[in-house]
Amino acid sequence: MNRKGRVLLVLALVAVVAMAFRVSWNALRDVAKAIGADATAALLYPFVVDGLMALALVATLVLTDRGDKRFALRVLATYTLASLVLNYVHGLVPALHDAPAGRVRLAQWNGAHWVLVLLASSLPVGSIYFGSDLVAKVLHQRTPATTEAPVCGPDGQESVPAPHTPAHPEQPTPTATPDPVAAALLAEPSALVMTRADAERAPAPHTPHAPRTPEAEMADEALRQAQFEEAELERMRQDARRAYTESAQAGRPLSARALGEAFGMSESWGRKQILAVRDEEESSRPLLRAVDTAAV
């Protein structure tokens, strides 16, 4: 909707609210007189009730916090319902229409009459409390931080933000005047240096390695891991066999279960290490052959 349409809509809303206030003003004024208000108080009473309704409506549109907005809506609904009840009572009690002044019963039943008087007399006090709270919430609300719009280039794409420029740029440090002879030597490198540089930049005679694929790297890693685990197991076997040999030499050989538990393995693993030690001992023993003395 364009700006002109919005202005017309707001003006129409203001006109409707003004006419509705004039219709409700007569009923609220008569109710105020019925509960004992004087002429001036009865004249201002409609502004207290319907005026807070307008204030709550504006606060609902202005507040950004969800909790505060819900509170403003509740105040608006409460005072709208109260104004509706008082207008309804004004239509039911004909004595309110032509009563010049003084108290008039708002209902035949005493309980209903007391409730209506309590409602009508408490609305001004509630207007002071709720109106002050709404104004405080509007004045103390935090405005959301505005984000800077990205700067777009001529092609419509977002450009890179300009680098931060310090407020006081650093002054360039004065440099010493170079020696003319040294500058000439640095500017014109010798032929020997250029020849070495060209030799070092010469391409290597061998062909470059082909790039390795992730599958090949994973296979190599698994192979290295398997080799490492096998080396650790072999070291553990050698330590277990050495421990059994030492215990046997001390005259207290370890059992298969004790040997396995000492290295965190099973009993069968310990038994295998004991058998391996015995096989090594038997293979290292010299073979004795019987000599036939009759043949000699």
Side-chain angles (χ1 to χ4, degrees):
M1 183 181 293
N2 54 13
R3 184 176 182 181
K4 184 177 180 181
R6 293 179 180 178
V7 172
L8 292 177
L9 181 61
V10 172
L11 292 178
L13 176 61
V14 172
V16 171
V17 171
M19 290 184 289
F21 173 76
R22 177 61 187 87
V23 174
S24 178
W25 179 80
N26 188 29
L28 295 179
R29 182 199 59 182
D30 293 343
V31 170
K33 290 180 180 180
I35 63 175
D38 57 6
T40 304
L43 183 65
L44 298 177
Y45 187 83
F47 294 96
V48 173
V49 180
D50 293 344
L52 184 62
M53 292 169 53
L55 178 62
L57 178 60
V58 174
T60 303
L61 299 176
V62 173
L63 291 173
T64 56
D65 184 73
R66 183 173 298 179
D68 296 342
K69 188 183 292 292
R70 189 181 299 112
F71 173 77
L73 285 175
R74 290 176 180 174
V75 174
L76 176 61
T78 302
Y79 268 73
T80 302
L81 181 60
S83 179
L84 176 62
V85 170
L86 296 181
N87 278 270
Y88 177 71
V89 172
H90 183 266
L92 288 180
V93 182
L96 294 175
H97 304 170
D98 51 3
R103 297 178 179 272
V104 177
R105 291 186 62 85
L106 300 180
Q108 296 297 328
W109 181 45
N110 291 333
H113 173 70
W114 294 341
V115 171
L116 292 175
V117 171
L118 177 61
L119 174 64
S121 60
S122 62
L123 289 179
V125 181
S127 297
I128 298 174
Y129 174 77
F130 293 118
S132 302
D133 197 3
L134 289 175
V135 172
K137 290 181 183 298
V138 172
L139 295 180
H140 291 84
Q141 72 171 344
R142 297 180 179 179
T143 56
T146 57
T147 57
E148 298 181 357
V151 181
C152 299
D155 54 352
Q157 297 181 353
E158 295 184 5
S159 59
V160 179
H164 173 69
T165 304
H168 303 284
E170 297 180 358
Q171 298 295 334
T173 305
T175 57
T177 305
D179 189 3
V181 179
L185 293 176
L186 293 175
E188 298 180 1
S190 62
L192 179 59
V193 174
M194 296 300 296
T195 305
R196 289 185 177 180
D198 294 339
E200 291 179 358
R201 288 196 299 269
H206 63 275
T207 57
H209 296 284
R212 297 177 60 83
T213 60
E215 291 79 4
E217 293 180 357
M218 292 177 62
D220 293 344
E221 183 65 23
L223 179 60
R224 288 193 295 269
Q225 184 66 22
Q227 292 176 353
F228 175 77
E229 293 178 357
E230 181 62 27
E232 288 294 322
L233 290 176
E234 182 61 26
R235 183 182 61 81
M236 187 182 299
R237 295 190 194 100
Q238 295 297 331
D239 293 343
R241 294 170 186 175
R242 189 179 304 109
Y244 177 77
T245 302
E246 293 175 355
S247 64
Q249 292 176 355
R252 292 175 295 180
L254 295 172
S255 62
R257 182 176 182 180
L259 184 62
E261 291 178 353
F263 289 87
M265 305 298 286
S266 62
E267 182 180 356
S268 60
W269 183 87
R271 186 178 297 107
K272 291 180 181 179
Q273 308 314 315
I274 294 174
L275 294 177
V277 171
R278 293 175 179 176
D279 292 341
E280 292 177 358
E281 291 177 353
E282 291 180 358
S283 60
S284 61
R285 292 175 182 174
L287 297 178
L288 299 177
R289 295 181 180 179
V291 178
D292 190 1
T293 55
V296 179

